[in-house]
Amino acid sequence: TLLPIDVSILSDYGTLKYSLLLNDSGGILDDVMLTKINTSHYTLVTNASTESKVTTHLRSHAQSHGINH
C-alpha cells in the first residue's frame, strides 16, 4: 500500500486529499497531496526535499506492477 487512504473518496475531478506516502514497511516516507484529474489520472504533490527518494520509491512500485512511467 502506497497511501493509507481510499482514493475512491476523490469522487469529483479537482478534489484534493492530504495523505501519507508509505514505504514498504508501512513507515512514513512523506506527506502528500493527491488530486483527481480525471477517471484514471491523479496528481501527487510531495515535498521538494524528498523528491529523489519518493521518485525512486514510486518508480519501483510502478515497475513491479508493469506500469510504464
Side-chain angles (χ1 to χ4, degrees):
T1 300
L2 290 172
L3 302 171
I5 62 168
D6 179 2
V7 296
S8 69
I9 62 172
L10 299 171
S11 57
D12 296 322
Y13 305 138
T15 55
L16 180 115
K17 182 71 177 167
Y18 174 80
S19 186
L20 301 171
L21 180 64
L22 304 179
N23 62 26
D24 293 332
S25 321
I28 298 169
L29 191 64
D30 198 3
D31 60 326
V32 298
M33 299 297 287
L34 182 69
T35 305
K36 185 172 187 174
I37 302 302
N38 60 40
T39 56
S40 60
H41 291 87
Y42 296 82
T43 297
L44 185 71
V45 178
T46 66
N47 293 297
S49 63
T50 60
E51 177 184 5
S52 178
K53 68 179 177 180
V54 166
T55 299
T56 300
H57 185 66
L58 292 175
R59 283 186 176 156
S60 171
H61 277 270
Q63 289 173 348
S64 70
H65 288 87
I67 299 169
N68 295 322
H69 49 278

